[in-house]
Amino acid sequence: MNKIPTICPYCGCGCGLYLHVEDGNLTGVSPIRSHPVNKGTLCVKGWNSFEFIQHHERLKYPLIKVNGEFKRASWGEAIALIASKLTGIKRSYRPDSIAIMSSAKCTNEENYLMMKFARAVIGTNNIDHCARLCHSSTVGGLAETFGSGAMTNSISEIVSAKVLFVIGSNTTEQHPMIGMHMLDAVNRGAILIVADPRKTQISDFAHIHLRHRCGTDVVLLDSIMNVIINEGFVDIPFIRRRTENFDAFEKVILRYPPDVAEKITGVSSQDIKKAARIYAIEKRAMLFYSMGITQHITGVDNVHACANLCMLTAHIGQPMTGLNPLRGQNNVQGACDMGALPDVYSGYQKVSESDIKKKFEHLWRRRLPSRPGLTLTEMFDSILDGKIKAMYIMGENPLMSDPDVSHVKEALKKLEFLVVQDIFMSETAEFAHVVLPAATFAEKDGTFTNTERRVQKIRQAIEPVGESMPDWKIICALSKKMGYNMEYRATHEIMEEVALITPSYRGILHHRLDSNFGLQWPCHDLNHQGTPFLHRKKFTKGLGTFIPVDYIPPAEETDKRFPFLLTTGRIYFRYHTATMCQRTSTLEREYPECYAEINPKDADSLGIKGNSMMRVSSRRGSIIVRAQVTDKVPEGTIFIPFHFREASANLLTNPAVDPSAKIPEYKVCAVKIELVESKRDQKD
Amino acid sequence: MSRIAEIYLPSKAKVIDVIEMTPDSKLFMVMPEMPFKYKPGQFVMFSLWGVGEVPISIASTFGVQKHIELCVRRVGHVTSAIHRLKTGDDIGIRGPFGNAFPITNARGKDTLFVAGGVGIAPLRYLINEVIKNKKDFRRIELIYGSRNPSEILFMDDINSWQKKGINVVLTVDRKDKDWRGNTGIVTEHLNKAKVSFKDAHAFICGPSVMIKAVMQDISQLGMYEENIFTTLESHMKCGVGKCGHCYADGKYICIDGPVFSYREIRQYNLNCTP
Amino acid sequence: MNKGMVLEKSKLSYWLRQLRKEMSLIGPMRGENSDIVFKTVENIHEIVLDCPASIPSPKEFLFPQKEKMFRYSKDGVENLRGNKGRLIFGVRSCDISAITLLDRFYGGKFVDDYYMSRRNNTIFISIGCNNPDITCFCIGLGSGPFLSSGFDIQLSDLGDRYLVEIGSKHGLEIIKDFIHLFSRPKKLDYDDQYEAILSSQARFEKRINLENARQKILSGQVNDSFWEVVAQRCFECGGCVYECPLCTCFNVIDRPYSPTDGVRLRVWDTCLFKGFTKMAGNIWPAEKKIMRTKRWYFHKLIYYPEQFGKFGCVGCGRCTITCPGRIDMATIASKIDMGDRRRKGGGG
């Protein structure tokens, strides 16, 4: 029996765990007690993260589709076919007719190689990943204000904070171990302000719960800043010394006094004032946000508003004081850091800047494209427009995760060539021409970067099942077949290349990550001990920029035909498109089917009782779900988790996107609800 | 070291016949490779390879024939898979498990059976047993409710019971054009039982809501709580008091039950209304 | 039994090395940073004694988190029961006390052959705790820091030597071939052990009175509003159950490799999930979180004493470390106990 320390594959907390191995079998999991994030705890998904790894449904060998059916193939055949198809498509059209989806579930090394593959081997910047759907507004929005789109503080600082302001994050369910630190802080006397239309576990502990209408975050935040300005809580020296564009910003803020905000958000002006005063007065105040802020057509505006609030009160650049976007996937931070994005190389170095491009061309010995590529949300439109002919998807499942999935399905069908590299036959993989079996986190080495920028090592515990291979080895093999040699004997060699060319990762090498649970970037050299909090003396970009934001209503508002607001999200026992957790017995059992939360008053008016089936329809589609009548959701709003294949909430969601970040508006669309009469008697 | 019994290992059994009883209930005739003795009220763990295991109470009478009969209502994942079984299919069986209906103390007294829907199946053996020793008991009555006339199970048995002198009251929730008998739920017909409630024993089986209502009503009619028995259902994985799923308030449904008296149900606050 | 011997510390590794030839040796080793984990001992000098509690408890060696039960195929059923001989060294007293209770639970009328087969092939060398962890509270429960029975072998650290007590046939077996390593104990050795016990007992920071908590619950002094608050803090992670040396629940799942072949597994399960009691036909007997949190405490504080005459808790303190909602046994039991003092005469 051996116990291999590694990192949990689920969320961005990046908890440390041991995988228990006996005779090549995984027999269990236990938490790392001394880990700074989880401190001997795990959430239910972490505790059960061993079960899917050796599941019988794992993809065990490459599959090639012949006459509509998958046939087992050798690695040699599969790689040769992909290489010849991609080369052919690149020649007969152009490199930009190929699009690549990298993965926030894969390691930094793999994301780096995938972006190198896209740019150096294929010759396109059409590479993106699911961060587009969760925090692209953060990456873009904070780059403009602070110069760096990541959590400014560390998770272990939370417990010593005095005020926690959590907006649009169901923390205890979606980042459970961060939620734990928050509750510990509350136990120690911190004041907790939660802004969320829904009642959640964390809101139960809030001293102030602001239940604003979905999509009115800008108004809520602007009015809080209005109170802060009017009541004189502004940190003027800080604004003078470290920020710019305050005057233009102030003009806009003055348009949002609390009584105006009350009408739009539904939050009483008293509560707005109270929250503003508490947040402004205390120095050790941390602001947290997540999908509730980012997944709107105004996602970037929302992020700007959060950043403005921090600068206005000088709540930035100190320990226990800052702005903290909670990243979703285990390595979504890392996938962004590694440049699996259409406009940047690793370390957010812009593809459009010729000096940087030259640097990469020199290292990679290839001419690189300079125009930014397509974002994930644009890729599917471009397939339908005939511009994209082939797609390579590594460890993502857009057929479940993207908005308006019928549109995605249509696009996937139209592709001339689709490769999916995954651990299970996902909904998306069904449409592929070639499916490649990848190894899970337990079967490979590498690093993940968690939401607090901590680069941590994952370690191989067992041999890959069947013929599956780590993603980085697959990319290397394919690249070689396409005439570009990628020779790495192990993942630490890839990291050496990353460090060489990425300033914020310069001091991050595998051997330095063995003790003390990794390093937090930026880490400038081999002696640098990492950065627990950002923007200490100055912002990454120099001066912090106030960006005034005005209220723009959601793209789709309720009307007579579609009188309810639908907001989507996740549940604690499931994760994303459920590829892993639906293969975990205790997780799957907890929520065997999709449901919708509906307020008792709304349910009454529609004749819906608990457990009734109801049809929820939007302009794009319709699903049938079981009703859960609860006051967790406010009147006029329903909530549906998006994890379920049979009732995919993303058949309903609006593909309208934020104009700059291209993030879809998952959090608001208009729907109607009808009671579905049950065929069977409701006996018993 | 002494050999330990392999309590979790199902033994092989073959489905030798399947009878469709109602749209959602089937009776499976199952021949175990290793025959076993069982008592009225006991259950087996019915194992389907690749799907799982569920507890099913035995509907047949020991000693009558070699095979056992299991009445399965299609309600979930495993029972749906069981419903797809055909004659000749192999299954796994473990058991018998659980206690049995206590009839010793009922001797010399009136005996009342109340069944609803498939709930007749676990009582079938018990009724046969009581009839076999009819002289030891006083009045024997059965009140049996079904959703509609076509869903009355084991009609042949019921006819033969009636011939042997037990008083049967049948009732349906919804009658059809040929139905001339009683309508309504069983509780509306409890007063038709000519038993002396103060001195009678009752055995009840059916949907949980019905069980609860009948137990309440007959205890109000004067029957002692310790003389009223029913059998409880629960999520179960082992059948032998180890997996913990059926554990409630200090009792394991699988080994302390599934048969409990109304007194125990009230004392331990057992959950018969899931 | 309980015969005493004395072993000089310098001879310990020789003894263990000899024993390792017969069976695989598992012991407390360094994990990440200051962590201690039980795993196969490659280098005997890497064993860390006098360490904080391991996570999870050594029950994993008798009842693993995931265990293959049997393989089924056209040819029938093949039991995959594990029966590897193992020597587990350095286990704490509380964990031995728990295993004594587990033996009774998995034994009884129906014997859990998976547990028992492992158990019969496992020998434990436990060690009395000279330095209890801050989370430990075995002292109020008679399950530590030193035991007078229930162990195979108990070591007491007396500075330069161990007092070695033999508590079972199993224990005797691993001593008798190496008797030349041990010497007869003198009165001084027992006196020193007594000193060690006293000084360890004085070091406990937590004194938790589960009996008071039990009495308060039984006499109806703890109402549902108390449990509501507890439930509200529950993260439903299952950690308390997974780590508890006395939690025994499991789920059974099938892994079909083909329509006729496959494996049946069991994995740890917890009563804190609503799916734990779910029944077919969308019936959820324990849908409310309060029902489930209460169940866990009631099982340990009320039903365990009824069934076994002992609490379902040995005071190992693991749930204190692993509960993200801070509603572990020590916290809740002392809240129940103290709560009354604060609202004297108030009642529920």
Side-chain angles (χ1 to χ4, degrees):
Chain A
M1 147 84 72
N2 200 1
K3 293 182 180 173
I4 318 286
T6 190
I7 301 300
C8 178
Y10 277 104
C11 80
C13 288
C15 298
L17 52 81
Y18 297 101
L19 287 172
H20 302 190
V21 184
E22 187 147 31
D23 305 328
N25 282 313
L26 285 176
T27 57
V29 152
S30 54
I32 296 182
R33 191 175 168 181
S34 51
H35 195 280
V37 175
N38 55 310
K39 300 184 173 214
T41 69
L42 282 175
C43 78
V44 69
K45 293 182 290 278
W47 271 112
N48 288 284
S49 60
F50 64 94
E51 209 183 307
F52 71 89
I53 296 162
Q54 292 175 320
H55 195 271
H56 61 277
E57 286 167 12
R58 275 286 301 281
L59 290 169
K60 293 187 193 71
Y61 35 79
L63 298 166
I64 294 176
K65 203 176 255 168
V66 184
N67 299 326
E69 269 186 44
F70 283 117
K71 292 262 153 52
R72 178 175 178 165
S74 71
W75 273 106
E77 289 167 327
I79 293 288
L81 177 67
I82 298 167
S84 81
K85 282 280 185 185
L86 291 183
T87 311
I89 286 167
K90 189 175 139 181
R91 284 215 190 103
S92 43
Y93 305 99
R94 57 204 174 91
D96 280 343
S97 58
I98 297 170
I100 295 197
M101 277 172 83
S102 201
S103 174
K105 283 241 127 0
C106 292
T107 61
N108 287 323
E109 291 77 1
E110 289 160 345
N111 276 289
Y112 175 81
L113 285 196
M114 196 46 133
M115 83 103 181
K116 183 174 175 182
F117 175 76
R119 291 176 167 135
V121 183
I122 304 284
T124 178
N125 281 321
N126 289 340
I127 177 166
D128 205 357
H129 71 285
C130 71
R132 186 63 47 203
L133 310 175
C134 63
H135 270 293
S136 54
S137 9
T138 299
V139 174
L142 290 187
E144 291 166 86
T145 51
F146 298 165
S148 178
M151 238 174 112
T152 60
N153 298 76
S154 295
I155 293 166
S156 57
E157 292 170 16
I158 295 172
V159 68
S160 314
K162 291 288 178 205
V163 170
L164 304 171
F165 184 4
V166 179
I167 179 163
S169 157
N170 181 1
T171 322
T172 51
E173 291 198 41
Q174 300 317 335
H175 296 88
M177 294 316 133
I178 294 178
M180 166 182 81
H181 288 263
M182 289 179 178
L183 294 197
D184 282 351
V186 172
N187 275 0
R188 286 215 206 162
I191 297 178
L192 175 64
I193 305 167
V194 174
D196 195 325
R198 277 177 81 211
K199 278 192 195 167
T200 57
Q201 190 181 18
I202 189 88
S203 76
D204 281 347
F205 295 90
H207 300 91
I208 305 173
H209 182 192
L210 309 168
R211 298 185 78 178
H212 58 305
R213 253 177 88 81
C214 291
T216 61
D217 307 78
V218 162
V219 182
L220 181 68
L221 290 165
D222 277 358
S223 69
I224 285 174
M225 292 188 272
N226 180 292
V227 175
I228 291 172
I229 291 175
N230 277 330
E231 300 195 358
F233 295 124
V234 178
D235 191 319
I236 298 165
F238 179 87
I239 289 172
R240 282 206 189 118
R241 215 175 60 238
R242 297 198 44 187
T243 69
E244 60 188 11
N245 204 29
F246 177 75
D247 295 343
F249 154 79
E250 189 182 25
K251 262 185 217 131
V252 173
I253 290 302
L254 294 177
R255 293 207 283 268
Y256 295 93
D259 51 328
V260 171
E262 179 171 333
K263 289 195 191 92
I264 305 173
T265 61
V267 178
S268 80
S269 58
Q270 283 314 309
D271 279 351
I272 293 175
K273 284 179 192 159
K274 221 158 65 182
R277 289 167 195 153
I278 290 170
Y279 177 79
I281 289 169
E282 186 54 61
K283 274 273 89 156
R284 269 143 66 179
M286 291 174 90
L287 177 55
F288 299 87
Y289 71 82
S290 198
M291 305 295 90
I293 281 292
T294 59
Q295 289 179 336
H296 291 280
I297 55 156
T298 57
V300 174
D301 290 352
N302 292 347
V303 170
H304 286 161
C306 291
N308 292 341
L309 177 56
C310 290
M311 290 189 287
L312 189 64
T313 47
H315 285 167
I316 191 91
Q318 309 263 349
M320 297 147 265
T321 310
L323 177 55
N324 297 287
L326 304 178
R327 306 297 301 259
Q329 295 278 13
N330 56 329
N331 197 35
V332 67
Q333 183 67 53
C336 291
D337 296 347
M338 290 304 111
L341 296 168
D343 54 341
V344 290
Y345 300 112
S346 58
Y348 308 95
Q349 305 176 77
K350 289 204 163 68
V351 296
S352 51
E353 283 178 23
S354 63
D355 286 355
I356 287 171
K357 192 175 75 130
K358 266 186 203 139
K359 184 172 86 169
F360 278 87
E361 284 177 337
H362 190 71
L363 181 75
W364 291 347
R365 307 174 323 275
R366 281 280 167 118
R367 285 201 67 84
L368 300 174
S370 52
R371 209 167 48 123
L374 295 171
T375 62
L376 187 146
T377 34
E378 289 164 331
M379 285 176 188
F380 294 102
D381 292 332
S382 301
I383 297 171
L384 291 171
D385 294 346
K387 285 181 201 137
I388 298 280
K389 305 289 183 189
M391 204 163 185
Y392 195 120
I393 300 177
M394 171 171 81
E396 296 231 345
N397 190 8
L399 204 51
M400 285 289 292
S401 59
D402 290 29
D404 193 4
V405 287
S406 7
H407 174 79
V408 176
K409 195 179 203 169
E410 214 182 306
L412 289 177
K413 279 186 187 158
K414 213 187 153 200
L415 281 171
E416 272 178 37
F417 192 60
L418 171 64
V419 182
V420 174
Q421 181 172 315
D422 211 324
I423 58 172
F424 288 105
M425 183 57 83
S426 66
E427 288 80 357
T428 307
E430 307 268 3
F431 288 85
H433 299 92
V434 182
V435 177
L436 300 177
T440 63
F441 79 108
E443 299 155 326
K444 63 186 178 192
D445 291 324
T447 58
F448 288 157
T449 306
N450 79 349
T451 184
E452 53 168 357
R453 302 169 277 107
R454 184 185 295 278
V455 186
Q456 309 188 85
K457 233 168 147 171
I458 63 161
R459 297 177 181 88
Q460 180 172 3
I462 53 166
E463 287 303 312
V465 304
E467 293 174 15
S468 67
M469 278 211 288
D471 297 272
W472 67 271
K473 285 191 178 166
I474 302 175
I475 302 166
C476 287
L478 179 60
S479 180
K480 193 171 180 189
K481 192 81 191 168
M482 291 178 74
Y484 184 90
N485 250 0
M486 286 194 191
E487 295 277 1
Y488 305 97
R489 276 170 303 174
T491 50
H492 67 85
E493 295 186 357
I494 307 171
M495 203 49 155
E496 279 166 19
E497 187 175 319
V498 174
L500 191 68
I501 194 128
T502 315
S504 55
Y505 274 69
R506 186 137 299 152
I508 297 180
L509 291 176
H510 277 201
H511 70 271
R512 293 195 70 204
L513 307 176
D514 277 326
S515 54
N516 292 318
F517 306 102
L519 289 165
Q520 287 171 281
W521 67 255
C523 177
H524 305 295
D525 57 58
L526 285 174
N527 297 315
H528 195 275
Q529 291 306 307
T531 312
F533 63 94
L534 300 176
H535 315 306
R536 185 166 173 207
K537 291 262 165 64
K538 64 180 181 76
F539 286 99
T540 308
K541 67 186 273 281
L543 289 179
T545 308
F546 279 102
I547 301 177
V549 283
D550 249 319
Y551 173 55
I552 300 169
E556 201 172 75
E557 291 196 281
T558 54
D559 54 26
K560 271 206 178 114
R561 262 183 72 211
F562 297 99
F564 288 92
L565 279 183
L566 164 69
T567 187
T568 66
R570 309 187 299 187
I571 39 186
Y572 172 59
F573 283 88
R574 293 235 160 189
Y575 200 76
H576 278 258
T577 71
T579 320
M580 305 188 310
C581 57
Q582 77 184 6
R583 279 136 180 137
T584 305
S585 54
T586 38
L587 298 181
E588 194 275 335
R589 189 181 63 189
E590 210 65 0
Y591 287 94
E593 58 178 4
C594 191
Y595 66 91
E597 290 176 0
I598 179 167
N599 187 280
K601 286 197 181 139
D602 295 332
D604 260 2
S605 71
L606 293 163
I608 287 166
K609 294 197 184 74
N611 279 336
S612 323
M613 299 306 285
M614 55 191 205
R615 176 186 300 281
V616 182
S617 322
S618 74
R619 288 184 173 82
R620 292 153 295 275
S622 142
I623 60 174
I624 293 178
V625 291
R626 203 176 281 279
Q628 206 180 81
V629 180
T630 166
D631 65 353
K632 278 185 193 166
V633 282
E635 264 178 82
T637 301
I638 66 164
F639 167 82
I640 303 181
F642 72 81
H643 315 284
F644 298 89
R645 190 194 274 239
E646 324 74 52
S648 175
N650 282 331
L651 282 164
L652 309 177
T653 46
N654 191 353
V657 293
D658 181 284
S660 69
K662 313 287 182 196
I663 192 169
E665 187 151 65
Y666 288 111
K667 292 296 180 199
V668 201
C669 77
V671 294
K672 65 177 175 191
I673 302 169
E674 298 147 294
L675 177 67
V676 178
E677 295 295 342
S678 150
K679 276 176 287 173
R680 271 199 290 173
D681 296 359
Q682 284 292 353
K683 37 92 234 158
D684 285 12
Chain B
M1 196 184 310
S2 65
R3 204 179 124 78
I4 312 171
E6 300 173 315
I7 53 170
Y8 299 117
L9 236 51
S11 56
K12 220 168 155 182
K14 202 172 262 312
V15 176
I16 54 171
D17 200 5
V18 184
I19 298 166
E20 197 157 334
M21 307 195 77
T22 70
D24 61 5
S25 304
K26 285 183 176 179
L27 189 67
F28 294 86
M29 313 290 176
V30 170
M31 184 67 84
E33 229 165 47
M34 288 184 291
F36 51 83
K37 196 175 179 324
Y38 54 91
K39 290 180 283 193
Q42 286 196 297
F43 65 94
V44 293
M45 294 301 287
F46 192 124
S47 220
L48 216 53
W49 304 134
V51 184
E53 245 184 351
V54 280
I56 304 284
S57 54
I58 305 174
S60 50
T61 303
F62 180 75
V64 174
Q65 69 283 82
K66 274 193 179 145
H67 66 261
I68 57 168
E69 295 177 6
L70 302 167
C71 186
V72 181
R73 196 158 71 94
R74 192 183 64 234
V75 271
H77 172 61
V78 184
T79 48
S80 301
I82 291 177
H83 267 234
R84 290 192 289 271
L85 286 172
K86 297 179 302 293
T87 302
D89 286 345
D90 285 334
I91 61 154
I93 279 252
R94 291 193 294 128
F97 295 127
N99 60 3
F101 285 111
I103 47 168
T104 327
N105 290 338
R107 285 172 202 267
K109 312 257 171 71
D110 289 349
T111 311
L112 173 63
F113 297 99
V114 186
V118 237
I120 189 78
L123 289 178
R124 198 168 154 228
Y125 183 2
L126 183 67
I127 296 173
N128 282 333
E129 195 69 9
V130 168
I131 289 177
K132 201 169 97 190
N133 305 300
K134 194 163 167 293
K135 56 179 191 333
D136 295 345
F137 297 86
R138 292 209 316 231
R139 289 193 67 89
I140 308 169
E141 307 233 352
L142 165 67
I143 304 174
Y144 176 28
S146 300
R147 271 185 289 194
N148 54 57
S150 70
E151 294 196 11
I152 300 177
L153 308 179
F154 301 113
M155 203 55 213
D156 295 348
D157 295 69
I158 292 167
N159 286 334
S160 89
W161 295 336
Q162 269 176 319
K163 273 188 210 127
K164 286 174 185 159
I166 81 166
N167 182 28
V168 179
V169 178
L170 296 179
T171 175
V172 295
D173 294 352
R174 274 188 310 268
K175 59 179 178 181
D176 60 15
K177 58 182 176 359
D178 299 325
W179 183 254
R180 299 284 171 270
N182 301 307
T183 57
I185 54 176
V186 285
T187 40
E188 296 167 30
H189 302 283
L190 290 176
N191 54 3
K192 293 205 174 66
K194 295 184 190 64
V195 295
S196 110
F197 281 92
K198 271 212 148 15
D199 199 22
H201 282 227
F203 301 94
I204 306 156
C205 192
S208 48
V209 175
M210 178 214 110
I211 292 179
K212 203 175 179 191
V214 172
M215 287 193 305
Q216 252 166 19
D217 287 4
I218 51 180
S219 91
Q220 257 162 28
L221 287 166
M223 202 179 292
Y224 290 111
E225 285 178 357
E226 60 266 37
N227 293 341
I228 305 171
F229 296 94
T230 188
T231 166
L232 300 184
E233 286 185 348
S234 171
H235 185 133
M236 271 182 209
K237 287 290 181 187
C238 74
V240 290
K242 306 294 183 206
C243 76
H245 290 264
C246 72
Y247 186 75
D249 300 273
K251 293 279 159 192
Y252 291 91
I253 307 284
C254 63
I255 50 173
D256 297 318
V259 176
F260 289 97
S261 71
Y262 189 33
R263 156 144 304 178
E264 290 170 304
I265 287 173
R266 283 167 55 102
Q267 182 183 343
Y268 302 119
N269 197 16
L270 295 176
N271 203 348
C272 63
T273 328
Chain C
M1 209 159 284
N2 203 349
K3 274 189 217 137
M5 306 287 255
V6 169
L7 179 70
E8 275 172 46
K9 275 193 173 171
S10 56
K11 293 180 181 168
L12 176 69
S13 45
Y14 176 81
W15 181 41
L16 291 178
R17 194 164 292 120
Q18 298 309 311
L19 292 172
R20 193 168 62 169
K21 290 178 182 161
E22 305 294 318
M23 52 181 95
S24 82
L25 174 64
I26 285 171
M29 314 267 280
R30 282 243 173 273
E32 289 285 90
N33 283 26
S34 59
D35 277 22
I36 297 301
V37 295
F38 273 80
K39 55 183 184 184
T40 305
V41 177
E42 302 295 344
N43 183 348
I44 286 170
H45 295 290
E46 284 176 9
I47 292 176
V48 190
L49 288 177
D50 209 12
C51 53
S54 67
I55 289 182
S57 81
K59 84 171 173 192
E60 62 171 327
F61 297 105
L62 303 174
F63 171 48
Q65 194 170 0
K66 181 183 103 184
E67 174 172 36
K68 285 181 182 162
M69 299 174 81
F70 55 82
R71 177 182 291 279
Y72 59 86
S73 68
K74 275 193 196 125
D75 308 327
V77 181
E78 179 203 350
N79 204 336
L80 300 175
R81 197 164 68 195
N83 55 2
K84 229 189 225 171
R86 275 205 277 225
L87 175 65
I88 305 186
F89 179 77
V91 177
R92 298 158 77 93
S93 302
C94 52
D95 290 330
I96 295 294
S97 303
I99 289 165
T100 317
L101 261 179
L102 287 183
D103 289 346
R104 289 171 65 191
F105 175 82
Y106 283 117
K109 187 180 164 203
F110 295 97
V111 178
D112 187 297
D113 48 319
Y114 295 94
Y115 174 90
M116 221 39 100
S117 152
R118 284 196 156 83
R119 177 70 176 105
N120 290 336
N121 288 294
T122 306
I123 301 174
F124 291 96
I125 299 179
S126 56
I127 180 154
C129 295
N130 284 355
N131 287 306
D133 210 345
I134 43 162
T135 51
C136 292
F137 60 101
C138 61
I139 185 165
L141 292 160
S143 48
F146 290 71
L147 295 178
S148 49
S149 67
F151 47 82
D152 292 327
I153 300 257
Q154 173 172 263
L155 306 184
S156 300
D157 186 340
L158 307 179
D160 55 347
R161 66 204 190 283
Y162 294 109
L163 179 68
V164 181
E165 292 167 282
I166 305 160
S168 75
K169 254 195 319 201
H170 273 123
L172 189 61
E173 261 165 46
I174 58 166
I175 295 244
K176 64 172 196 245
D177 291 342
F178 305 100
I179 206 80
H180 56 281
L181 296 176
F182 300 86
S183 60
R184 282 181 176 278
K186 303 188 183 72
K187 182 172 176 296
L188 176 72
D189 298 313
Y190 286 107
D191 288 350
D192 282 358
Q193 186 198 31
Y194 186 66
E195 280 300 317
I197 295 173
L198 285 186
S199 96
S200 164
Q201 283 175 345
R203 284 200 170 96
F204 277 81
E205 289 187 21
K206 278 204 162 104
R207 309 266 159 171
I208 311 291
N209 195 326
L210 296 189
E211 182 54 29
N212 281 359
R214 186 177 92 97
Q215 290 301 339
K216 293 228 166 95
I217 293 172
L218 286 177
S219 58
Q221 291 179 58
V222 188
N223 57 23
D224 271 3
S225 61
F226 176 83
W227 295 112
E228 277 301 348
V229 177
V230 178
Q232 198 179 38
R233 298 192 71 94
C234 177
F235 277 57
E236 295 178 86
C237 64
C240 51
V241 172
Y242 298 140
E243 300 222 331
C244 179
L246 279 172
C247 273
T248 51
C249 293
F250 59 85
N251 192 16
V252 177
I253 43 174
D254 280 13
R255 282 287 156 81
Y257 299 129
S258 81
T260 51
D261 290 75
V263 174
R264 186 162 288 175
L265 308 172
R266 70 173 176 188
V267 293
W268 288 353
D269 205 342
T270 105
C271 54
L272 294 156
F273 301 155
K274 70 183 163 87
F276 184 73
T277 48
K278 176 198 181 251
M279 286 162 72
N282 206 31
I283 298 166
W284 303 84
E287 197 162 12
K288 290 208 180 86
K289 205 149 78 170
I290 178 176
M291 296 166 84
R292 291 173 265 136
T293 11
K294 237 170 112 172
R295 173 188 169 125
W296 191 78
Y297 289 101
F298 274 52
H299 191 180
K300 301 205 170 299
L301 292 175
I302 310 292
Y303 307 132
Y304 244 104
E306 279 172 13
Q307 201 182 346
F308 295 106
K310 283 188 167 177
F311 285 108
C313 171
V314 290
C316 71
R318 287 192 181 86
C319 53
T320 307
I321 298 161
T322 212
C323 177
R326 313 304 180 207
I327 45 165
D328 51 284
M329 181 58 85
T331 306
I332 295 308
S334 59
K335 269 205 177 131
I336 292 175
D337 187 9
M338 311 294 265
D340 192 50
R341 251 174 255 164
R342 254 180 266 138
R343 50 183 157 84
K344 225 176 192 146

